[in-house]
Amino acid sequence: MTTATKWWQSAVFYQIYPRSFADGNGDGIGDFPGITARLDHLRDLGIGAIWLSPHFPSPFVDCGYDISDFDGVAPEYGTMADFHHFLREAHARGIRVVLDLVLNHSSDQHPWFGESRASRDNPKRDWYVWRDGQGGGPPNNWISVFGGPAWTLDPRTGQYYYHAFLKEQPDLNWRHPALKQAMFEMVRFWLGLGVDGFRLDAIGAAFEHPDLPPHRARLTPLQQLNPLALSPDEWRSLMEYQQHQSGVHELMKELRRLVDVYPGDRVLIGEDDDVAFHGNGDDELHLVFNFPLMRAERLTPAHIRANQAARLAALGPNWPCNTLGNHDGRRLWSRFGDGLHDAALSRLHLALMATLRGTPVLYNGEEIGMTDLELTDLAQFRDTAALARYRLLTTLEGLPPAQALASVAATTRDRCRGPLQWSDEANGGFCPPGVAPWLPVNADHAGGVNVADQDRDPGSLLNFYRRVLALRKATPALLAGDYRALDEDNEDVLAFLRHDAASGQTCLVALNFAAAPRRAAVGLAGSARVLLASAGGRAELGSLDALALAPHEVLIAELAA
Ligand code: GLC
């Protein structure tokens, strides 16, 4: 697929974290009425599709990724009627809706698990993964993603159940035909309601090796309790038998066939960076995230060029999907900022998302430069994995509470999950003054980091996002063009061409990551019309041989035909 002909190739995606987006009923928790009331914000921003993090009933031990009813709406988010209304209103604005599909596990409070754990001969016993222990311990040495053993003993039947994530998230057994059918029914249910596709949560974990071979990673006890801190190589070795096991591609093919029955090009996006999930290009997932791009301490031109070279080669004709943030990491502003030029860097990073080849996925709040929450009191934390880490640091490592708190505050996923800041009012306009939001609202909402203030300010980050996304939408080369790196040794400037054969259009993109003026030896002939120059002041590029760029300048120009 070389040209952007499908809606999911040209749309800009925007991830909504429902608990934090907008509170419609004033209880401090985001909900569907709140989201629906704010859809114009997304339309005005130029968003083509929403990826909604889980909205299903859940005990909320893993912030909604522990689902107790796959067919429902969490009561705190509203009713099924509220969901329908939201979907209709999004569609009325030309915005598609992609749901989060958590196939790997359910909540331990799901009625299926209640039945499964009731007795060894319950008809749903094998809907989950049960095994006998070994030598008085778990069946093997597998580790859960959030730390500690991946097996929990259920005293009622004396067997262990497997959980790739928290013990409250037992893994579903996809080798069981009835479980698969029940889950596929659920997928059909949502497709039938008119949703436009799914983001597949943790899809690489759907199958485990059936023989349970022990992993061969050599880890300290502390590393076993905090595997997310491992290097990518150590991680791969640890998860050798728990991820990317045989069966997963067959499952994706089945799912794809199921989805393709529905009209409207429903999309499947994998939370995985393995390009193998594209299958033959037309029989598994449509998109998988380019996580290696985001896995960097600093986004440098060299890192981005190397990433694009490797990624585009690996993808072949498959369509790229780029992102720099989601609900599991840090806020883009805080993560890739340098503390001095964060606003300018945020503009560069957005321009990068909008001009690289592929579908961009933005994370809510990024458009106004929301920053990481700094939690100071253990009672504020909602991220169970962080709380578990705190217990570990204070008990196993014997850290004083203040030090353990500082450590988890600096790593918790709560950092990027704070309420959206709509105005400079108390609680950032997320919920009424006086109501306690489920996570604190960042104090910087009063200092200009909010939608209302930035809406009024033509020079704001929000208005920059709007301009850049509008430009992308109107520019065939940015939507569909191929990618060619220029001036490849330049340490500070990322320069590349996007050429679209269908329209004949070629765009030059130059992003100066330095806080000082820089030149880029792009070595082109002819002239170009400036489409966007963040430093302002020029409409034409007379000489294209060497480009002069202002500090942190974003320059997008169309080459003369
Ligand atoms: C994915 C989600 C993450 C969740 C995990 C288990 O990685 O993005 O938030 O905790 O899966 O469902």
Side-chain angles (χ1 to χ4, degrees), residues 62 65 105 146 165 169 199 201 271 327-328 413 417:
D62 186 25
Y65 283 89
H105 46 265
F146 294 137
F165 295 90
Q169 295 168 296
R199 172 262 190 189
D201 185 67
E271 192 210 3
H327 65 294
D328 287 330
R413 297 182 296 171
R417 295 176 176 178

Side-chain angles (χ1 to χ4, degrees), residues 155-320:
R156 214 169 319 179
T157 54
Q159 279 193 312
Y160 288 79
Y161 64 89
Y162 174 72
H163 48 92
F165 295 90
L166 297 170
K167 67 177 189 330
E168 292 84 358
Q169 295 168 296
D171 267 47
L172 294 162
N173 177 16
W174 280 93
R175 294 193 173 90
H176 197 287
L179 173 276
K180 185 160 78 179
Q181 282 322 313
M183 289 296 276
F184 280 3
E185 269 317 300
M186 173 271 285
V187 172
R188 289 191 189 98
F189 169 71
W190 291 107
L191 288 170
L193 292 188
V195 307
D196 300 287
F198 302 98
R199 172 262 190 189
L200 305 187
D201 185 67
I203 196 57
F207 287 88
E208 309 71 49
H209 196 299
D211 304 336
L212 313 190
H215 73 74
R216 293 168 294 183
R218 283 199 214 97
L219 302 182
T220 64
L222 198 67
Q223 283 177 317
Q224 301 195 6
L225 290 166
N226 189 20
L228 286 174
L230 294 175
S231 73
D233 281 348
E234 289 169 326
W235 173 263
R236 252 191 305 282
S237 142
L238 179 69
M239 292 291 154
E240 191 178 352
Y241 302 114
Q242 294 173 255
Q243 292 198 342
H244 299 148
Q245 299 300 301
S246 67
V248 69
H249 291 290
E250 288 68 22
L251 177 62
M252 293 304 100
K253 289 188 173 72
E254 276 185 80
L255 189 61
R256 175 63 180 266
R257 285 198 294 273
L258 187 166
V259 165
D260 278 350
V261 166
Y262 291 79
D265 291 320
R266 317 285 169 110
V267 71
L268 296 173
I269 312 172
E271 192 210 3
D272 201 291
D273 55 39
D274 190 346
V275 296
F277 279 109
H278 285 289
N280 74 8
D282 214 18
D283 65 344
E284 291 194 35
L285 306 185
H286 303 86
L287 298 171
V288 298
F289 288 108
N290 178 6
F291 286 137
L293 178 67
M294 146 170 131
R295 259 184 236 125
E297 277 310 305
R298 243 163 36 86
L299 279 177
T300 60
H303 171 72
I304 300 163
R305 275 193 295 265
N307 170 270
Q308 288 300 292
R311 192 76 191 167
L312 294 173
L315 280 168
N318 294 305
W319 193 251

Side-chain angles (χ1 to χ4, degrees), residues 67 204 207 274 295-296 320 331 338 341 350 380 403 462 479 482 488:
I67 297 170
F207 287 88
D274 190 346
R295 259 184 236 125
R331 291 265 174 205
D338 64 1
H341 313 99
L350 180 264
Q380 295 170 321
Q403 222 174 311
L462 176 61
L479 288 174
D482 58 17
E488 297 199 56

Side-chain angles (χ1 to χ4, degrees), residues 12-163:
V12 173
F13 281 63
Y14 180 100
Q15 180 188 359
I16 287 185
Y17 199 63
R19 212 168 188 84
S20 289
F21 193 67
D23 175 11
N25 66 353
D27 64 355
I29 298 176
D31 49 40
F32 279 115
I35 298 175
T36 307
R38 295 291 186 178
L39 283 171
D40 287 349
H41 169 64
L42 302 189
R43 184 201 51 205
D44 297 347
L45 191 54
I47 297 305
I50 291 166
W51 149 29
L52 192 66
S53 271
H55 66 275
F56 313 94
S58 163
F60 215 68
V61 182
D62 186 25
C63 288
Y65 283 89
D66 48 323
I67 297 170
S68 52
D69 174 5
F70 289 105
D71 293 334
V73 171
E76 62 267 50
Y77 297 165
T79 61
M80 195 51 103
D82 293 329
F83 175 84
H84 282 288
H85 183 55
F86 152 71
L87 188 62
R88 264 198 315 275
E89 290 295 313
H91 284 166
R93 289 166 179 76
I95 300 173
R96 318 255 177 167
V97 175
V98 166
L99 301 185
D100 218 311
L101 187 60
V102 184
L103 298 180
N104 182 66
H105 46 265
S106 73
S107 159
D108 63 349
Q109 300 304 306
H110 196 292
W112 293 348
F113 191 65
E115 290 181 50
S116 180
R117 78 193 317 181
S119 69
R120 289 195 186 204
D121 55 10
N122 187 282
K124 292 207 172 56
R125 181 67 169 179
D126 294 331
W127 284 34
Y128 293 83
V129 182
W130 293 96
R131 290 288 194 284
D132 291 327
Q134 290 279 339
N140 67 9
N141 65 357
W142 291 356
I143 293 294
S144 99
V145 168
F146 294 137
W151 299 95
T152 291
L153 177 65
D154 196 28
R156 214 169 319 179
T157 54
Q159 279 193 312
Y160 288 79
Y161 64 89
Y162 174 72
H163 48 92

